[in-house]
Amino acid sequence: MRWTVFNQKGGVGKSTIVCNLAAVSARKGRRTLVVDLDPQANATRYLLGGGADGVEPNLAGLFEQTLGFGLFRKGAQGFLHRTPFDRLELLPSSAELLDLQPKLEAKYKIYKLREALDELDGFDAVYLDTPPALGFYTLSALIAADRCLIPFDCDDFSRRALYGLLDSVREVREDHNGDLKVGGIVVNQFQGRARLPRQLVEELKREGLPVLEPYLSSSVKVRESHQAAKPLPYLAASHKLTGELEALFDTIDRHNGG
Ligand SMILES: Nc1ncnc2c1ncn2[C@@H]1O[C@H](COP(=O)(O)OP(=O)(O)OP(=O)(O)O)[C@@H](O)[C@H]1O
Ligand SMILES: [Mg+2]
């Protein structure tokens, strides 16, 4: 199953959720791949630490070769990197994706990521991290995915934006990827003691939106985990937020059949 985590809003937890769900998946014994489509390369840094700087080959190289006429094309497998974590591999990002984007758009390369991922076998789960914009890379990810997960940061503007996001998913499904389904809304940075977050999440549920449980708490451990380049299951196996991530993984698994 391929999962795209997306929300046009910046800083809602996309990269954190991608890397931590992937870590839970790998620790459960599944062969897992993270694909980083964000030129900011935060997921790449989270999984590779210092090894992320200038990492080659990367996703920009994979896209770049779709623009050329060269006879030799390296298969997608040749762009994957091992991470320090067992069974967790990475197709890393690079800032070069920024310059490449208009060229890829001009030549309608929107299906190339799906074709590349179709070539890979042996992965039980693939998690795609997207930039905070509904541009070429996010669309490529939605076209390549079976399911999308939408992080929600318990903010009123974000709640209003959710309807637009769900419309975008519907449009991608109609125009490009009939298999794409909404896997659910992931509530992140939830502060259970405050009234507003509870109220906002209740409203979403009343409106029939697929809100997943449990909600992910806000914790300073997340920053520590980024700093240490270790997803929470590896950094703090018994932390409350790690438990929530594991339970969320099981919920997603149950609702979506693995
Ligand atoms: N559950 C959480 N508790 C505390 N801090 C969090 C939590 N989730 C995310 N953060 C913090 O919020 C910030 C944004 O997280 P992250 O980078 O995962 O979001 P993003 O949606 O990928 O951002 P961007 O849109 O820039 O790619 C980070 O500083 C991270 O430490
Ligand atoms: Mg991110």
mmCIF file of all heavy atoms in Angstrom, residues 11 13-16 36 38 40 42-43 129-132, ligand 2:
data_model
loop_
_atom_site.group_PDB
_atom_site.id
_atom_site.type_symbol
_atom_site.label_atom_id
_atom_site.label_comp_id
_atom_site.label_asym_id
_atom_site.label_seq_id
_atom_site.Cartn_x
_atom_site.Cartn_y
_atom_site.Cartn_z
ATOM 1 N N GLY A 11 3.916 23.116 8.091
ATOM 2 C CA GLY A 11 4.137 22.899 9.514
ATOM 3 C C GLY A 11 3.037 22.169 10.263
ATOM 4 O O GLY A 11 2.946 22.279 11.477
ATOM 5 N N GLY A 13 2.764 18.869 10.348
ATOM 6 C CA GLY A 13 3.276 17.581 10.829
ATOM 7 C C GLY A 13 3.434 16.524 9.748
ATOM 8 O O GLY A 13 3.644 15.340 10.073
ATOM 9 N N LYS A 14 3.391 16.907 8.479
ATOM 10 C CA LYS A 14 3.489 15.906 7.391
ATOM 11 C C LYS A 14 4.758 15.053 7.521
ATOM 12 O O LYS A 14 4.690 13.820 7.542
ATOM 13 C CB LYS A 14 3.505 16.608 6.007
ATOM 14 C CG LYS A 14 2.225 17.327 5.658
ATOM 15 C CD LYS A 14 2.310 18.005 4.295
ATOM 16 C CE LYS A 14 3.175 19.254 4.278
ATOM 17 N NZ LYS A 14 2.653 20.385 5.080
ATOM 18 N N SER A 15 5.907 15.721 7.582
ATOM 19 C CA SER A 15 7.174 14.969 7.586
ATOM 20 C C SER A 15 7.309 14.128 8.854
ATOM 21 O O SER A 15 7.796 12.994 8.815
ATOM 22 C CB SER A 15 8.360 15.930 7.471
ATOM 23 O OG SER A 15 8.202 16.746 6.330
ATOM 24 N N THR A 16 6.866 14.696 9.970
ATOM 25 C CA THR A 16 6.930 13.964 11.244
ATOM 26 C C THR A 16 6.067 12.702 11.168
ATOM 27 O O THR A 16 6.488 11.615 11.593
ATOM 28 C CB THR A 16 6.432 14.891 12.383
ATOM 29 O OG1 THR A 16 7.236 16.074 12.385
ATOM 30 C CG2 THR A 16 6.492 14.209 13.725
ATOM 31 N N ASP A 36 10.694 11.153 -0.326
ATOM 32 C CA ASP A 36 10.654 12.561 0.085
ATOM 33 C C ASP A 36 10.506 13.446 -1.145
ATOM 34 O O ASP A 36 11.450 13.624 -1.913
ATOM 35 C CB ASP A 36 11.935 12.901 0.862
ATOM 36 C CG ASP A 36 11.883 14.304 1.458
ATOM 37 O OD1 ASP A 36 10.894 15.013 1.225
ATOM 38 O OD2 ASP A 36 12.849 14.670 2.166
ATOM 39 N N ASP A 38 9.637 16.698 -0.986
ATOM 40 C CA ASP A 38 9.709 18.100 -0.604
ATOM 41 C C ASP A 38 11.136 18.614 -0.780
ATOM 42 O O ASP A 38 12.060 18.083 -0.152
ATOM 43 C CB ASP A 38 9.263 18.230 0.863
ATOM 44 C CG ASP A 38 9.201 19.680 1.317
ATOM 45 O OD1 ASP A 38 9.588 20.578 0.542
ATOM 46 O OD2 ASP A 38 8.767 19.908 2.458
ATOM 47 N N GLN A 40 12.516 20.933 0.563
ATOM 48 C CA GLN A 40 13.089 21.272 1.885
ATOM 49 C C GLN A 40 13.837 20.086 2.481
ATOM 50 O O GLN A 40 14.647 20.244 3.385
ATOM 51 C CB GLN A 40 11.990 21.627 2.878
ATOM 52 C CG GLN A 40 11.188 22.867 2.586
ATOM 53 C CD GLN A 40 10.117 23.091 3.678
ATOM 54 O OE1 GLN A 40 10.323 23.866 4.603
ATOM 55 N NE2 GLN A 40 8.986 22.418 3.571
ATOM 56 N N ASN A 42 13.114 17.724 4.583
ATOM 57 C CA ASN A 42 13.075 17.483 6.034
ATOM 58 C C ASN A 42 13.012 15.993 6.384
ATOM 59 O O ASN A 42 13.663 15.552 7.330
ATOM 60 C CB ASN A 42 11.866 18.198 6.655
ATOM 61 C CG ASN A 42 12.048 19.699 6.638
ATOM 62 O OD1 ASN A 42 13.169 20.194 6.536
ATOM 63 N ND2 ASN A 42 10.965 20.441 6.711
ATOM 64 N N ALA A 43 12.243 15.227 5.623
ATOM 65 C CA ALA A 43 12.167 13.783 5.915
ATOM 66 C C ALA A 43 13.526 13.130 5.652
ATOM 67 O O ALA A 43 13.958 12.233 6.385
ATOM 68 C CB ALA A 43 11.079 13.128 5.068
ATOM 69 N N ASP A 129 6.168 11.811 1.425
ATOM 70 C CA ASP A 129 6.089 13.118 2.082
ATOM 71 C C ASP A 129 6.018 14.194 1.005
ATOM 72 O O ASP A 129 6.730 14.108 -0.005
ATOM 73 C CB ASP A 129 7.327 13.341 2.965
ATOM 74 C CG ASP A 129 7.177 14.583 3.844
ATOM 75 O OD1 ASP A 129 6.043 15.023 4.082
ATOM 76 O OD2 ASP A 129 8.215 15.104 4.301
ATOM 77 N N THR A 130 5.169 15.197 1.218
ATOM 78 C CA THR A 130 4.930 16.203 0.177
ATOM 79 C C THR A 130 5.246 17.608 0.690
ATOM 80 O O THR A 130 5.203 17.857 1.895
ATOM 81 C CB THR A 130 3.447 16.150 -0.257
ATOM 82 O OG1 THR A 130 2.625 16.387 0.895
ATOM 83 C CG2 THR A 130 3.088 14.817 -0.867
ATOM 84 N N PRO A 131 5.524 18.525 -0.238
ATOM 85 C CA PRO A 131 5.771 19.911 0.179
ATOM 86 C C PRO A 131 4.456 20.621 0.517
ATOM 87 O O PRO A 131 3.380 20.145 0.136
ATOM 88 C CB PRO A 131 6.421 20.541 -1.060
ATOM 89 C CG PRO A 131 6.048 19.675 -2.205
ATOM 90 C CD PRO A 131 5.701 18.321 -1.678
ATOM 91 N N PRO A 132 4.540 21.753 1.204
ATOM 92 C CA PRO A 132 3.307 22.468 1.571
ATOM 93 C C PRO A 132 2.734 23.287 0.413
ATOM 94 O O PRO A 132 2.613 24.513 0.500
ATOM 95 C CB PRO A 132 3.761 23.364 2.731
ATOM 96 C CG PRO A 132 5.217 23.555 2.516
ATOM 97 C CD PRO A 132 5.736 22.337 1.830
HETATM 98 MG MG MG B 2 7.491 18.590 5.771
#
